Amino acid sequence: MTVANIEHDRDGVVWFTICRPEKRNAINFEVMDKLKETIKLVENDRQAKMLVITGTGEEAFCSGGDLSQFQHLQAESAKQMLKRMGELLYSLLTLSKPTVALINGAAMGGGCELASACDFRYAKSGSKIGFIQGKLGITTGWGGATMLFEKLPYAQALNILLRAERIQAETMQAYGWIDAVLTGNDLREECRQLLAPYVSQSVAVLRAYKLAAVEKWKSDEFRMRFFAEISRCAELWGSEEHAKAVQAFLQKS
C-alpha cells in the first residue's frame, strides 16, 4: 500500500497526500522519499504552479515522525534521520513555487514543522495544532522553531513553543500561523477556491515572486541556524526524559 499519493490537476496544482491514517499520517522514511520526489517534481515541472500537502481522512493532517519506527534510533542514527527530514523541509521552504499545507485534522509535533515550511496554511475548523515536542523531552528537530521565528512575531513564536500545548486552529489563525479556517465539508474545493487567484497567474510570475521571498532563507547564516536547531534536538534525543516521555505516549496511544 502506498504511503503517499501524488496528483496533478488541470490548474497546475500538485497534491501530495500522506496516506497513513492508521498512524495518524505520521512520517516514516518512505514518506520522506515520496516527499523528496514530489518537491523535485514541482521544482522542475514547467506546468506545476503550486504544491498542496495534506493528509488522508478527517482525523489528522500529520502527527509528526513515526515514533514506533524512530524511538529506537541511537544518537547518531537519530541525528541522521532529523537531518534528512530537515533537508527536505529546507528544500520545501525554499521551493521556487508557492506551497500550501491543507490541514485536514490534527497537526502535531513534526506535522507542525511540515506545515510551517509551507507558504500558506489552511486548516479545517476545530483542528488541533500542537508544537508539543517539549512534552516529549525534545525540541523541534526539523527546523520548525527557526521557521516559526521567521514567520511569526518573536514573543508569539516563543509562547507557542514553550507552552507545547494543543491549540485550536481558530486561535492559531489569530496568532497568524493559520491563514484561513475552512468550515465546509469539502476542504479540497475550498482550498481550490482560495488558490484560484494564484493559479490564474503564469508559472513565471509565481516563480519570480517566490524566489524574491525565499532569497533571505538561502543565506549561510539562516542555514546555520536551521541546522543548529536540528543538532540540539539530536542531543536531547537520547536523554532519559525523552525515552520515558515516548514510552508513556506510545502506551497512551
Side-chain angles (χ1 to χ4, degrees), residues 4-246:
N5 283 333
I6 305 169
E7 306 164 68
H8 306 246
D9 70 21
R10 63 182 181 275
D11 295 321
V13 179
V14 176
W15 299 78
F16 178 85
T17 306
I18 304 172
C19 302
R20 305 188 73 216
E22 75 286 355
K23 293 287 187 178
R24 295 182 65 78
N25 295 322
I27 293 172
N28 61 6
F29 290 117
E30 292 176 275
V31 174
M32 289 185 193
D33 289 340
K34 284 286 190 180
L35 181 59
K36 182 177 182 179
E37 173 189 336
T38 305
I39 292 171
K40 184 177 180 181
L41 181 154
V42 174
E43 185 67 68
N44 297 318
D45 187 343
R46 294 181 179 180
Q47 303 303 313
K49 291 187 172 184
M50 299 192 72
L51 170 62
V52 177
I53 298 175
T54 191
T56 297
E58 300 180 356
E59 297 300 317
F61 165 69
C62 175
S63 58
D66 188 344
L67 292 178
S68 67
Q69 291 192 17
F70 297 157
Q71 65 165 323
H72 302 299
L73 294 178
Q74 299 303 308
E76 188 55 37
S77 296
K79 185 174 183 178
Q80 292 304 312
M81 178 274 291
L82 295 170
K83 186 178 179 182
R84 178 178 173 185
M85 189 62 187
E87 289 282 4
L88 279 174
L89 292 195
Y90 180 78
S91 66
L92 178 61
L93 177 71
T94 58
L95 186 67
S96 69
K97 313 282 180 69
T99 56
V100 176
L102 177 56
I103 301 171
N104 56 298
M108 295 294 151
C112 293
E113 299 189 69
L114 173 62
S116 292
C118 294
D119 298 310
F120 304 104
R121 284 158 293 282
Y122 306 150
K124 181 176 74 172
S125 177
S127 296
K128 294 292 182 64
I129 314 296
F131 284 85
I132 59 170
Q133 289 88 338
K135 296 285 177 63
L136 295 174
I138 56 173
T139 60
T140 48
W142 294 341
T146 305
M147 292 186 285
L148 204 63
F149 284 123
E150 287 287 312
K151 296 189 174 188
L152 292 185
Y154 169 78
Q156 197 63 272
L158 189 62
N159 172 54
I160 291 168
L161 294 166
L162 295 182
R163 285 168 59 185
E165 296 174 346
R166 292 165 171 80
I167 303 171
Q168 288 277 107
E170 287 78 0
T171 302
M172 289 296 275
Q173 183 182 32
Y175 289 166
W177 191 79
I178 293 292
D179 297 288
V181 172
L182 310 184
T183 58
N185 295 321
D186 190 338
L187 295 183
R188 285 204 175 198
E189 183 54 35
E190 282 191 76
C191 182
R192 286 190 179 96
Q193 290 175 14
L194 289 170
L195 299 186
Y198 307 150
V199 296
S200 69
Q201 309 300 327
S202 69
V203 173
V205 167
L206 295 173
R207 189 171 184 273
Y209 278 130
K210 185 63 192 292
L211 287 172
V214 303
E215 195 65 36
K216 62 180 178 178
W217 295 325
K218 292 185 176 181
S219 68
D220 291 340
E221 185 271 339
F222 179 82
R223 278 189 61 91
M224 182 183 70
R225 288 192 286 121
F226 190 95
F227 288 99
E229 174 188 336
I230 292 171
S231 295
R232 287 190 290 270
C233 179
E235 292 173 7
L236 295 172
W237 192 273
S239 68
E240 184 178 352
E241 180 184 358
H242 178 54
K244 287 182 177 178
V246 169

